[in-house]
Amino acid sequence: SAGLLTAGNAHAQTTLLQCEGTETDAYDPGVTFLPREFSITLTGQYSSCLDGSGQVTSGSYGPEQFSLDAGCDNLLEGFTVTRTFTWNTGDSSVLQGSGQSTEVGGSVITTITGTIVRGRFQGESAVQTITLPQPDVLACLTTGYTGATGVATLTLG
């Protein structure tokens, strides 16, 4: 991968990490056009990770749960997040960052940028992108949109 580099000199070494996988979100009650409070439970699984050392090959985050007051046509505006990624190596990384969502081509894209503040890769910059399909209009008009699964990527370094 062209994005996977290890810069090495005798004094410093920076290892970059690239992961791809999925995030699954569940909404209770279902999200409708009429804004209301609902609970979100999300989990993420990175089935494919590459790092300069070859040690981190997969990871996960969640389950995370929080409440939100919104409707099908509302996007997540600015928010802050602390997220823990657990790696196949048995250790973890804690990301502190901020994010926002936009609509592009029928999908809701959430981008989180920040820094790994604890654990493996501490001090590295981080960008996480989650792309979820836009809610089904029919479901938004009736019982509500109850979940989505989409692509999640993570880049450190």
Side-chain angles (χ1 to χ4, degrees):
S1 170
L4 181 64
L5 302 173
T6 301
N9 66 30
H11 302 291
Q13 186 172 25
T14 301
T15 302
L16 301 181
L17 174 74
Q18 177 69 44
C19 292
E20 294 183 7
T22 58
E23 179 175 296
T24 301
D25 296 5
Y27 314 118
D28 183 29
V31 183
T32 63
F33 277 116
L34 180 63
R36 64 180 174 182
E37 186 169 334
F38 59 94
S39 173
I40 300 173
T41 302
L42 66 85
T43 57
Q45 184 69 40
Y46 288 116
S47 56
S48 175
C49 294
L50 296 172
D51 77 355
S53 69
Q55 294 177 347
V56 174
T57 58
S58 63
S60 63
Y61 57 97
E64 296 175 13
Q65 189 168 34
F66 57 94
S67 293
L68 188 63
D69 193 345
C72 282
D73 58 351
N74 297 93
L75 296 176
L76 285 174
E77 297 193 7
F79 62 92
T80 59
V81 65
T82 300
R83 175 163 289 162
T84 301
F85 300 96
T86 303
W87 307 116
N88 63 288
T89 55
D91 53 359
S92 61
S93 300
V94 177
L95 165 67
Q96 282 188 339
S98 59
Q100 65 180 31
S101 294
T102 58
E103 179 188 348
V104 178
S107 294
V108 175
I109 300 174
T110 302
T111 303
I112 299 168
T113 58
T115 303
I116 301 300
V117 296
R118 282 194 310 277
R120 188 180 200 104
F121 306 113
Q122 182 171 348
E124 295 289 345
S125 62
V127 177
Q128 183 181 32
T129 305
I130 300 109
T131 304
L132 297 173
Q134 192 172 24
D136 176 16
V137 173
L138 186 57
C140 289
L141 289 170
T142 57
T143 58
Y145 187 70
T146 58
T149 297
V151 176
T153 63
L154 177 65
T155 303
L156 302 183

